Amino acid sequence: MKRGNILIPTVLTFVIGVPLAWFFWRAPIVPALASAQGGKADFLLRLVFAIASLVFGLVAAFLGYSLVAFRRNPNDTEDGPPIHGHTTLEIVWTVVPLIVILSVGALGTKVMYDVARAQPNELTVKVVGFQWAWTFEYPAYGIVTGELVLPVEQPIAFEVTSTDVVHSFWVPEFRMKIDAIPGRVNVIRHTPVREGEFKVRCAEMCGTGHAAMLAPVRVVSGTEFLQWVNEQTGAVVGLSEAAQRGKDLASQYGCIGCHSVDGAPGVGPTWKGLYGSTRELADGTTVTADDEYLYKAIVDPGSQIVAGFQNIMPATFDEQLTDEQIRDIIEYIKTLK
Ligand code: CUA
């Protein structure tokens, strides 16, 4: 019977495992972090990768070493020696993984509670996902937008729901995501720690427009945020009654989730400067965006797709909105010059 030298695979374990663990601990395998809570998830992810790297090193080293050291001689035809187990070894390979897994489980539970814990002075943002866009409501300011603007270092509680199918609210730079489920409100907390521009992505396959279900995220300074709030609430002044009703309907029915009102690019064409402009349609024809065009665009969106956009707007507004409500929305669009 051949006798191996346990020192060789032991050393090999670390030669393979340590650089791999180091790589996963340091490597930019996720985008730069922008949420305080996300940091805890990052730590857990890297720790699990590092432990898994060492386990991989252990298995690969002993397997590789055995293949070479215990290979059969060409002339050796006898059976291998019978083995009756090794109690110490069996205890070790049961107890050690048990301790490792229980520790990771306990740490994971702690992190789960930590990231879900309510923070002082939270700002509530109600997130609604629908096929195929997002709207964000700030109850404290009476604002509903299609763009998520957040003050840096401000704890946010996102109350997430959906109006149709299951979506998932996810900003990769914030790390953790949460399902948006019809008839139910799920809460996820993030404290943005870095100013910058990110994107909300839908992380649940939800139909043909799933990949386009994006919304811009801007993390800004506290002063900039207050400026933004003033702009949003100030814009209401000077609207006719009909236009004001139209503006409220546009928030309520999620129009602004896809159609920006400030010229920003979105899933659908912006409403800024839309009224009276010349539209180039996907079929090559052009048309002027007058009342008649806008009415048709709302009740039968597939009939006149603007060049460069996809046909993903729901064709349900004909039933959801009254004629008068549609006129109000058009009145609102007229004010967005
Ligand atoms: Cu909503 Cu995918």
Side-chain angles (χ1 to χ4, degrees):
M1 181 181 155
K2 288 184 178 177
R3 299 209 54 94
N5 180 352
I6 196 160
L7 196 66
I8 299 172
T10 306
V11 171
L12 263 178
T13 296
F14 291 99
V15 168
I16 299 169
V18 170
L20 208 58
W22 181 85
F23 170 78
F24 281 118
W25 191 263
R26 302 297 305 275
I29 47 178
V30 282
L33 183 72
S35 153
Q37 286 83 345
K40 295 176 198 250
D42 265 13
F43 168 74
L44 208 57
L45 180 76
R46 288 174 194 279
L47 182 71
V48 168
F49 265 111
I51 294 172
S53 300
L54 291 173
V55 173
F56 173 78
L58 183 79
V59 173
F62 277 82
L63 190 68
Y65 175 74
S66 303
L67 280 174
V68 177
F70 301 112
R71 73 186 182 282
R72 187 177 68 91
N73 282 333
N75 307 324
D76 183 358
T77 54
E78 61 181 307
D79 287 341
I83 295 170
H84 294 287
H86 190 301
T87 312
T88 316
L89 200 57
E90 283 166 17
I91 291 173
V92 169
W93 80 43
T94 306
V95 172
V96 172
L98 194 68
I99 293 173
V100 171
I101 286 173
L102 286 179
S103 310
V104 173
L107 201 59
T109 310
K110 185 184 179 305
V111 167
M112 206 168 74
Y113 276 98
D114 279 355
V115 299
R117 189 174 302 130
Q119 305 290 312
N121 308 317
E122 274 179 353
L123 176 69
T124 299
V125 177
K126 293 186 174 179
V127 179
V128 180
F130 54 92
Q131 287 171 319
W132 286 280
W134 303 93
T135 58
F136 309 101
E137 184 189 349
Y138 299 70
Y141 305 106
I143 297 173
V144 183
T145 66
E147 180 194 31
L148 184 57
V149 179
L150 303 170
V152 72
E153 303 294 351
Q154 162 69 54
I156 314 282
F158 295 98
E159 298 181 356
V160 183
T161 191
S162 161
T163 58
D164 39 41
V165 300
V166 178
H167 304 273
S168 180
F169 173 71
W170 184 39
V171 180
E173 287 80 1
F174 290 176
R175 300 299 188 262
M176 292 82 68
K177 55 194 165 200
I178 198 152
D179 277 359
I181 301 169
R184 183 177 160 157
V185 176
N186 283 337
V187 179
I188 190 166
R189 297 186 155 85
H190 286 294
T191 306
V193 289
R194 185 161 64 84
E195 289 181 32
E197 296 190 4
F198 315 112
K199 268 200 168 79
V200 175
R201 291 169 194 281
C202 179
E204 193 73 65
M205 182 61 197
C206 57
T208 51
H210 162 71
M213 198 171 157
L214 306 164
V217 182
R218 265 196 305 134
V219 177
V220 297
S221 70
T223 335
E224 269 179 87
F225 178 73
L226 287 179
Q227 267 171 13
W228 176 79
V229 168
N230 286 334
E231 282 167 26
Q232 295 293 312
T233 46
V236 180
V237 180
L239 285 188
S240 70
E241 260 178 55
Q244 181 59 52
R245 283 197 303 269
K247 182 176 190 288
D248 295 342
L249 288 166
S251 296
Q252 193 185 332
Y253 286 91
C255 309
I256 54 170
C258 294
H259 304 280
S260 77
V261 295
D262 59 0
V267 176
T270 183
W271 281 356
K272 189 182 168 69
L274 169 59
Y275 190 78
S277 68
T278 305
R279 315 298 290 165
E280 209 172 295
L281 301 186
D283 62 10
T285 58
T286 53
V287 60
T288 302
D290 53 14
D291 289 63
E292 194 193 340
Y293 163 85
L294 290 175
Y295 184 87
K296 205 169 154 209
I298 293 171
V299 298
D300 186 12
S303 67
Q304 36 184 17
I305 293 301
V306 177
F309 291 91
Q310 291 177 54
N311 181 12
I312 58 172
M313 176 163 155
T316 52
F317 293 112
D318 197 10
E319 293 149 28
Q320 285 182 284
L321 300 166
T322 65
D323 263 11
E324 197 196 333
Q325 286 176 318
I326 294 171
R327 298 286 167 213
D328 287 346
I329 291 174
I330 295 171
E331 281 311 307
Y332 173 52
I333 293 173
K334 285 181 189 174
T335 67
L336 301 164
K337 299 201 175 85

